[in-house]
Amino acid sequence: MPTAISELTTMRLGGPAREFAVATTSDELVALVRDADASGTPVLLIGGGSNLVVGDQGFDGLVVKVETSGVRVDGNSMSVAAGERWDTVVATSLSEGLAGLEALSGIPGLAGATPVQNVGAYGTVTSDVLDSLTVYDRETGTTEVWTPDRCGFGLHRQSVFKHSTRYVILDTTMSLRRSRSSDPVRYAGLAERLGVTVGDTVAAAEVREAVLDLRGQKGMVLDAEDHDTWSVGSFFLNPVLTKVPATASRAPQYPDPSGIKIHAAWLIQNAGFAHGYGTDFGNGTVSLSTKHVLAITNRGGATTADVMALASHIRDGVQAEFGITLVPECDLVGCSLN
Ligand SMILES: Cc1cc2nc3c(=O)[nH]c(=O)nc-3n(C[C@H](O)[C@H](O)[C@H](O)COP(=O)(O)OP(=O)(O)OC[C@H]3O[C@@H](n4cnc5c(N)ncnc54)[C@H](O)[C@@H]3O)c2cc1C
């Protein structure tokens, strides 16, 4: 049974877990967390470990690997256990003749974590399709079915679950469309790849193929052989600002409910950090992906301290150039930027 957290995360980082357990049913998951809470043992839930960076000293508590299973399709509704692999859920929805998830193809991790940062890609976010979710509340010791309005999905990559250990998501139910046609294509790069205009619809399966292809080109589909994918995807959030400084006025910008969202990748690149940057930094075990500057990658043999050093260096470079402070998108447990 693995106790090295590095074996459970896509960055292959993290020291030992003091205790380790696998939950294969929702009841088991709740019981493990409830018992740990009763004995005052800290708990770290791990799904696919694709948005998590854990310190080199490991986790002084119980690590619970979520491996619950179950998919149920009922009309337009699809319910999935937290431990189901997300991309399998997307593929299953399409083979069941349900559309709506196609743009979320290829995102690593498990279904239970998708509401945590309201996972999104190519113009679709989880909250677009989420109908309800079952949540165990560690503070009250109760299990409840929630509607999405309780999840705090207003801001980019945020929810009440993000950076909180209070809730355990046990399953999610999504409301999809019974159709072989995709949702309207919302993202210019995807429309271009498909040879259509934004707003057009095509076969949902075609969108899935195009998304997998585009993601693969950016190292955004897991591939154990490719160190560009030994990452947490985007390491930094796209900053949302009330006013864009003149120095960053050429950065791609989008309206956001709380201001103007600008591309972190543009800021990083224009602060002088190119694809692959980092091989001459520190001991060279960590670098930006050679395909996408927003991904910090383990080139083999890296420690979490190495990742924190490069991430801090990138944040400081962007701060010096543009006066904008990048903030990590991933969850940092037992580690922080310098
Ligand atoms: C190559 C790559 C590409 C990526 N592309 C995208 C992308 O396009 N869009 C995007 O939004 N994200 C992307 N990500 C980030 C990541 O895949 C998502 O955030 C994913 O939802 C994380 O799922 P996970 O199961 O791996 O979560 P983990 O990393 O295991 O956990 C993340 C956090 O959620 C908590 N958690 C896990 N399961 C539960 C649960 N059942 N209940 C409560 N809390 C839980 C954990 O404790 C942790 O705090 C990418 C990552 C990689 C490596």
Side-chain angles (χ1 to χ4, degrees), residues 8-11 29 43-53 64-66 68 82-84 86 103-122 126 157 161-165 167-171 215 218-223 228-234 295 329 331-333:
L8 305 171
T9 60
T10 52
M11 271 202 128
L29 179 52
V43 175
L44 173 62
L45 293 180
I46 300 191
S50 63
N51 207 24
L52 197 56
V53 186
V64 180
K65 174 89 176 76
V66 181
T68 59
E84 290 289 342
W86 175 252
L104 300 178
S105 294
I107 298 179
L110 306 186
T114 52
V116 173
Q117 67 162 6
N118 197 14
V119 156
Y122 297 100
T126 303
R157 296 279 192 269
F161 311 112
K162 186 83 182 171
H163 304 307
S164 163
T165 53
Y167 304 106
V168 181
I169 298 167
L170 302 176
D171 58 57
R215 294 184 66 93
K218 294 184 194 158
M220 288 292 162
V221 177
L222 292 183
D223 174 357
D228 280 336
T229 75
W230 291 30
S231 76
V232 285
S234 303
E329 176 181 306
D331 261 7
L332 305 181
V333 175

Side-chain angles (χ1 to χ4, degrees), residues 125-171:
V125 285
T126 303
S127 55
D128 292 339
V129 293
L130 195 64
D131 195 42
S132 66
L133 60 177
T134 311
V135 173
Y136 173 67
D137 181 342
R138 295 173 65 189
E139 231 167 81
T140 61
T142 54
T143 298
E144 293 179 344
V145 177
W146 284 20
T147 45
D149 55 309
R150 292 182 67 178
C151 298
F153 284 139
L155 301 177
H156 176 61
R157 296 279 192 269
Q158 294 300 322
S159 76
V160 296
F161 311 112
K162 186 83 182 171
H163 304 307
S164 163
T165 53
R166 177 168 172 179
Y167 304 106
V168 181
I169 298 167
L170 302 176
D171 58 57

Side-chain angles (χ1 to χ4, degrees), residues 278-289:
T279 41
D280 294 334
F281 178 85
N283 59 14
T285 56
V286 177
S287 79
L288 299 184
S289 159

